Amino acid sequence: MTNSPVKQTPHLVASAAAPTDHQLRSPKSSRGLRKLQSAHQLSANYAALNTPSLISQQRQQQQQRNTSSSHLNQAPQIPPLPTFASHHRTRSNSDAVISNPVTNTTATKKAAAFKKIPPNHNPREELEGLVRQGPQGDVPTELSRLRHLVLCEGLYADSDGMSQIRIYIWLILLNAPAIGTDSYLELIRRGASPAYSKIRNDTFRTLATNPLFKRRVSEASLIRLLNAVAWKLHDAKIEKLAEPTMVNAANERGSPELQHASPVVKHAQGPPTTTATDGSEAGGTEPGIYVQGMNVLCAPFLYAARSEAEAFVAFHVFVTKECPGYVRGAMDGVHKGLALVDKCLAIVDPKLSSYLQSKHMKAELYAFASVLTMCACTPPLPEVLQLWDFLFAYGPHLNVLCICAQLVIMRETLLTSPSPTKLLRSFPPLQAKIIIEITVSNLRKIPADIYEELVHHAE
């Protein structure tokens, strides 16, 4: 078309006011003259053309497009926004023009729904919103988003590592159930647990050289929490032993035909000889109620939590769901983790691994405390908390790779040292960000079967 868009769409310009002299200039036909009249003088046949809705105008155009060729050429068109500089545009009777507004609106809505974060978003506010308001959409998607924020943005904390939302993020990532303070107080009122003496032997030396921990967490609160967890584990152990046994009337152990088809308890005559007062002296496959090192593993929970009840539920879920193998009497999960440190180090850094093996330096000699406590034994405590944010987001099993990352950081020093044993007696201060970066990078090198062992070694 060569005519001006203004001349072709006078009804849009004059819908609210009388046409100007320029708009009334040289009408080509009486039909065009009627179209240039003011809005209040238009007949009922043209009322639809004066509506402000573009969709209504397009429908009117669609009804008129087959009347005549001249009428088709002079059909009203939508003016470009916001100026009329371009004269090359789609015809008004085109299907593309009719579908464009709908298509654009749908695309805009989809883009708005997919674009979760505005350009000026604040990660801190988003994390606080997730904690206070809960997920606003699909729970798995929101959890994935939470993990991504923890990995890429981290949790806001002061110089002491204190964050108002950290314990709540941990509870969410651990899928910890809600628990009332009264439930925790009931365990406290029960007094000393069977493992109380062992707990008292360990609590006074828990992070004894860390002034941040000593200033915030008292030994009394550490004793209360460990004692409450010991009662909880003790009760679970008693309930397991008290489960009804399936015994066949033919004999006390059941008939031979049913022994392979039903879960017959071997010790049907009574509980095992091991008593509940042994604390951490349970057998290798029996669940213990306290093992040495649980005091250090518990310390970050008390430091990060805003109440003992919060720390209690987080710590209890952690040791019973994430790493129950670490708190058994024989600590079989810890020994499996140590073996995996040697395996993974041989994969991510074969040279360093061969050098340490030549010096007879296995992980059992230098990494036992780091595996058992999830690196909580290595200061500074704020870096431990940041590392735990990552471990809770993507799995505590990655602690094995975090230990390998610490060895990689020490690589040059270890390779040039004639006696790496002295260097590995105590790891250098944690650098959480660097350790996480190396861990994520090394994760791609781990074969699927070894990674499967990582995931399940603490069960």
Side-chain angles (χ1 to χ4, degrees), residues 10-158:
H11 57 283
L12 297 176
V13 181
S15 61
T20 61
D21 294 339
H22 174 72
Q23 292 172 322
L24 294 173
R25 189 179 304 164
S26 302
K28 293 184 179 181
S29 64
S30 59
R31 182 178 180 83
L33 181 60
R34 288 196 302 270
K35 291 172 61 178
L36 294 176
Q37 291 177 349
S38 60
H40 67 278
Q41 294 178 344
L42 290 177
S43 63
N45 294 332
Y46 294 93
L49 296 176
N50 292 289
T51 58
S53 172
L54 297 181
I55 299 298
S56 300
Q57 298 171 15
Q58 293 164 2
R59 289 175 178 173
Q60 184 66 21
Q61 297 164 15
Q62 194 175 19
Q63 292 174 0
Q64 297 177 354
R65 62 180 181 176
N66 295 323
T67 56
S68 63
S69 59
S70 60
H71 173 64
L72 181 64
N73 293 331
Q74 295 180 3
Q77 298 182 6
I78 303 172
L81 297 176
T83 62
F84 303 106
S86 176
H87 296 272
H88 302 282
R89 49 198 174 84
T90 312
R91 293 175 59 87
S92 60
N93 59 346
S94 169
D95 293 337
V97 173
I98 296 175
S99 60
N100 273 344
V102 179
T103 303
N104 293 339
T105 303
T106 305
T108 303
K109 289 182 179 179
K110 288 182 179 180
F114 179 78
K115 194 173 184 180
K116 299 285 184 182
I117 306 175
N120 58 345
H121 84 288
N122 188 328
R124 181 182 176 184
E125 293 180 356
E126 185 174 357
L127 284 170
E128 291 178 354
L130 285 173
V131 171
R132 294 177 181 176
Q133 303 174 8
Q136 302 300 312
D138 184 49
V139 173
T141 302
E142 293 296 312
L143 279 175
S144 178
R145 176 61 190 160
L146 176 60
R147 294 186 180 99
H148 182 75
L149 285 172
V150 170
L151 176 63
C152 298
E153 304 292 345
L155 302 184
Y156 175 80
D158 58 20

Side-chain angles (χ1 to χ4, degrees), residues 58-383:
Q58 293 164 2
R59 289 175 178 173
Q60 184 66 21
Q61 297 164 15
Q62 194 175 19
Q63 292 174 0
Q64 297 177 354
R65 62 180 181 176
N66 295 323
T67 56
S68 63
S69 59
S70 60
H71 173 64
L72 181 64
N73 293 331
Q74 295 180 3
Q77 298 182 6
I78 303 172
L81 297 176
T83 62
F84 303 106
S86 176
H87 296 272
H88 302 282
R89 49 198 174 84
T90 312
R91 293 175 59 87
S92 60
N93 59 346
S94 169
D95 293 337
V97 173
I98 296 175
S99 60
N100 273 344
V102 179
T103 303
N104 293 339
T105 303
T106 305
T108 303
K109 289 182 179 179
K110 288 182 179 180
F114 179 78
K115 194 173 184 180
K116 299 285 184 182
I117 306 175
N120 58 345
H121 84 288
N122 188 328
R124 181 182 176 184
E125 293 180 356
E126 185 174 357
L127 284 170
E128 291 178 354
L130 285 173
V131 171
R132 294 177 181 176
Q133 303 174 8
Q136 302 300 312
D138 184 49
V139 173
T141 302
E142 293 296 312
L143 279 175
S144 178
R145 176 61 190 160
L146 176 60
R147 294 186 180 99
H148 182 75
L149 285 172
V150 170
L151 176 63
C152 298
E153 304 292 345
L155 302 184
Y156 175 80
D158 58 20
S159 58
D160 293 342
M162 298 305 301
S163 172
Q164 294 183 351
I165 64 172
R166 170 168 278 128
I167 186 61
Y168 304 112
I169 297 294
W170 287 4
L171 291 170
I172 292 171
L173 294 173
L174 291 172
N175 194 24
I179 182 174
T181 305
D182 293 340
S183 301
Y184 176 67
L185 293 177
E186 288 177 2
L187 295 171
I188 299 299
R189 295 190 187 101
R190 292 173 65 175
S193 69
Y196 181 76
S197 60
K198 297 180 180 296
I199 293 173
R200 289 300 304 268
N201 290 336
D202 290 341
T203 52
F204 73 93
R205 54 191 174 192
T206 303
L207 304 184
T209 59
N210 193 312
L212 293 178
F213 179 77
K214 289 297 182 181
R215 185 169 65 243
R216 179 171 173 82
V217 181
S218 66
E219 184 184 357
S221 64
L222 188 61
I223 293 172
R224 285 192 297 268
L225 193 148
L226 289 171
N227 193 68
V229 171
W231 272 125
K232 196 78 172 176
L233 296 176
H234 172 269
D235 293 345
K237 184 177 181 180
I238 296 301
E239 290 177 3
K240 184 177 181 180
L241 295 176
E243 290 178 357
T245 59
M246 300 181 62
V247 179
N248 190 273
N251 59 70
E252 59 184 4
R253 293 183 180 273
S255 63
E257 293 82 3
L258 295 178
Q259 287 180 4
H260 300 286
S262 60
V264 179
V265 178
K266 294 183 179 180
H267 303 284
Q269 295 179 344
T273 56
T274 304
T275 62
T277 58
D278 59 4
S280 62
E281 302 300 327
T285 59
E286 291 293 329
I289 61 176
Y290 180 80
V291 295
Q292 189 174 12
M294 284 179 66
N295 56 318
V296 180
L297 193 61
C298 172
F301 289 100
L302 273 173
Y303 185 83
R306 306 182 72 178
S307 69
E308 286 184 26
E310 293 173 347
F312 164 76
V313 65
F315 179 61
H316 179 258
V317 170
F318 181 69
V319 297
T320 57
K321 302 297 183 183
E322 298 295 338
C323 55
Y326 285 16
V327 298
R328 293 194 185 103
M331 294 187 289
D332 53 331
V334 178
H335 293 289
K336 291 179 181 178
L338 292 169
L340 285 169
V341 171
D342 291 330
K343 287 184 180 180
C344 292
L345 184 62
I347 295 172
V348 301
D349 197 331
K351 183 178 180 180
L352 178 59
S353 176
S354 299
Y355 181 75
L356 293 179
Q357 293 294 331
S358 67
K359 301 293 183 179
H360 306 287
M361 289 295 296
K362 293 187 176 181
E364 291 182 350
L365 301 177
Y366 60 84
F368 185 89
S370 296
V371 172
L372 173 61
T373 65
M374 300 286 171
C375 296
C377 60
T378 307
L381 189 53
E383 295 294 318

